[in-house]
Amino acid sequence: MISYSFRDKQKAEQLKKFLSDKGHKVSMMEKQKEIPKIKDKFILETKPSKMTKGIETCTFIACISESYNIDDFCRNEIGVALDLERTILFAFIDPNYVAQGWIDHIIGSDSYNCPWKDDNLITEEAEKIHNIISNSNQGLSG
């Protein structure tokens, strides 16, 4: 599953196409969704949502950017992936972005790469993501 801020949708779609062309079944949210909040806290669902079901059995790619950092839905998605102990790959949208706040805390010392230069996907960097997924027991779609 590819998680991204809708401001970065074009780049997420480039990565999805690359991975699909490599034979992976890739899922990603096609429409922007809002999550209900009460007093700045997310409402926990009593039954699994489509998002949760999709994350349960896949490798999770987080397309990290400044807009991802401020997007409540992205924060919720990655939180579900962490709760479900999924493999998380961090793909930075902008090579100059410095992770801050909750994203920095989540990434910690985990490795990440930046498969884009300007608005173009760098094949060699995207290939690294493909290889990690291929060598894992998890796909990209639930």
Side-chain angles (χ1 to χ4, degrees):
M1 171 179 251
I2 298 177
S3 173
Y4 64 98
S5 165
F6 272 80
R7 292 180 187 152
D8 303 318
K9 185 174 184 176
Q10 179 183 6
K11 289 183 178 180
E13 287 174 337
Q14 290 173 352
L15 183 58
K16 179 182 180 181
K17 181 180 180 332
F18 176 86
L19 294 170
S20 294
D21 289 350
K22 291 287 187 177
H24 297 288
K25 184 177 175 187
V26 184
S27 64
M28 60 186 244
M29 194 70 70
E30 297 297 332
K31 295 180 183 174
Q32 190 165 9
K33 302 237 175 168
E34 296 279 331
I35 31 178
K37 291 195 289 183
I38 297 176
K39 295 185 180 180
D40 295 325
K41 294 191 178 185
F42 298 114
I43 297 173
L44 299 176
E45 298 180 26
T46 55
K47 64 179 187 174
S49 66
K50 275 186 171 182
M51 176 187 65
T52 302
K53 288 178 183 176
I55 294 172
E56 285 178 332
T57 59
C58 70
T59 299
F60 187 89
I61 300 173
C63 294
I64 304 296
S65 66
E66 188 170 334
S67 57
Y68 193 95
N69 187 33
I70 61 172
D71 189 310
D72 289 337
F73 192 81
C74 293
R75 188 174 184 167
N76 191 53
E77 272 187 328
I78 204 167
V80 170
L82 287 166
D83 288 347
L84 294 172
E85 300 179 355
R86 303 316 307 151
T87 299
I88 301 175
L89 305 177
F90 300 101
F92 275 48
I93 295 287
D94 177 355
N96 299 313
Y97 176 69
V98 177
Q100 302 171 29
W102 67 270
I103 291 178
D104 185 43
H105 176 73
I106 289 171
I107 294 173
S109 62
D110 285 349
S111 63
Y112 60 88
N113 72 357
C114 181
W116 292 276
K117 182 172 182 174
D118 302 318
D119 287 333
N120 301 310
L121 190 67
I122 302 169
T123 304
E124 296 82 18
E125 293 299 317
E127 192 73 40
K128 291 176 187 177
I129 294 171
H130 158 68
N131 290 336
I132 292 168
I133 297 163
S134 295
N135 294 324
S136 77
N137 295 342
Q138 303 168 14
L140 283 165
S141 180

